[in-house]
Amino acid sequence: MGAVSALTALGLVLTAQVAIAREVAPAPNTPRATELRQRAQDPERLAPFGLMLDAGVPEGAGLSVSFRPRREVRLHLGGTHNGIRAGARAGLTLLPTRGWLKPALTLELGHARPADARGLERRLADRTQLPSPSFERVGYNYASALMGFEVEMPGRLTFFVRGGLSFLELYGPGMKGLDEPFQGALAPEEARPWRVRSLRPNAKLGFLLSFG
């Protein structure tokens, strides 16, 4: 599901890029043409909004909207999918320099909820799905700090690569309320709540289509 969603979103990004590239040029020496020339001289100030598609660890594939209130700051908010369940994240990116190639520092917070007892029962009762109750009941929170660089490409498209560290907290709620015969599908230790924290490397790459 995560890969399919990422490919679908990438197709939307590329389609939007083509549509922008085909915009009809205004007549020369008009106010619109002058405005476009001024924007071309300073492309970083003309597109405060964006659509960001990326893939990485631990959040999986992500699709976010971004807002750039200042040249040096970009905010983003969106959803993620790790192949098992959806999550949400928010973050900011600091861009201290200008140019088509520039360094970037990104800070992110993310969360994905585990399945509850009722959701897990529905999952176990559906024989058409693979039996993965242990993965279904794992939720996670994370805080990430990443450094990397961004490359501005034609058509308001930006490519980025980032790497860093994530503080990751995996947790599972207690499943003592699970009805029979579903209780038998879990080991005794799985029925108790648990929580594990760790520091892990993080890496991601993606694209940002700017507009506005």
Side-chain angles (χ1 to χ4, degrees):
M1 289 295 295
V4 174
S5 301
L7 291 175
T8 302
L10 179 58
L12 294 175
V13 170
L14 295 177
T15 301
Q17 182 190 9
V18 172
I20 293 173
R22 291 180 176 177
E23 182 180 5
V24 177
N29 301 322
T30 63
R32 176 60 176 167
T34 302
E35 180 185 357
L36 290 177
R37 283 196 299 271
Q38 292 175 347
R39 289 186 173 186
Q41 294 172 0
D42 187 9
E44 291 185 346
R45 69 178 180 85
L46 63 92
F49 301 99
L51 182 65
M52 184 171 69
L53 172 66
D54 59 75
V57 177
E59 65 267 39
L63 182 62
S64 304
V65 293
S66 69
F67 174 63
R68 195 169 179 174
R70 296 171 55 89
R71 181 185 61 81
E72 304 87 355
V73 179
R74 181 191 299 122
L75 308 176
H76 64 266
L77 177 67
T80 60
H81 203 291
N82 63 2
I84 299 175
R85 71 171 48 78
R89 70 174 177 192
L92 66 88
T93 298
L94 302 179
L95 303 163
T97 65
R98 291 175 177 263
W100 65 272
L101 175 63
K102 49 184 171 288
L105 171 64
T106 299
L107 304 175
E108 288 185 338
L109 296 174
H111 171 73
R113 293 184 59 185
D116 57 14
R118 300 284 80 80
L120 187 56
E121 284 184 2
R122 291 192 297 269
R123 179 66 170 76
L124 292 170
D126 188 352
R127 301 300 181 182
T128 66
Q129 301 187 53
L130 295 176
S132 58
S134 296
F135 292 105
E136 290 287 333
R137 64 185 299 269
V138 176
Y140 59 86
N141 301 307
Y142 64 90
S144 301
L146 306 100
M147 294 190 66
F149 62 88
E150 298 190 353
V151 180
E152 290 191 359
M153 305 171 68
R156 299 182 182 177
L157 191 64
T158 300
F159 170 76
F160 60 83
V161 176
R162 299 168 184 161
L165 293 174
S166 292
F167 176 76
L168 184 64
E169 180 184 63
L170 299 173
Y171 68 96
M175 290 292 172
K176 294 186 181 298
L178 202 63
D179 296 334
E180 294 291 348
F182 302 111
Q183 278 282 0
L186 299 180
E189 61 272 14
E190 288 185 312
R192 297 190 297 268
W194 57 271
R195 195 173 297 267
V196 176
R197 298 180 177 91
S198 63
L199 191 65
R200 301 185 180 183
N202 188 338
K204 69 172 62 181
L205 55 85
F207 295 91
L208 171 69
L209 176 64
S210 301
F211 57 91

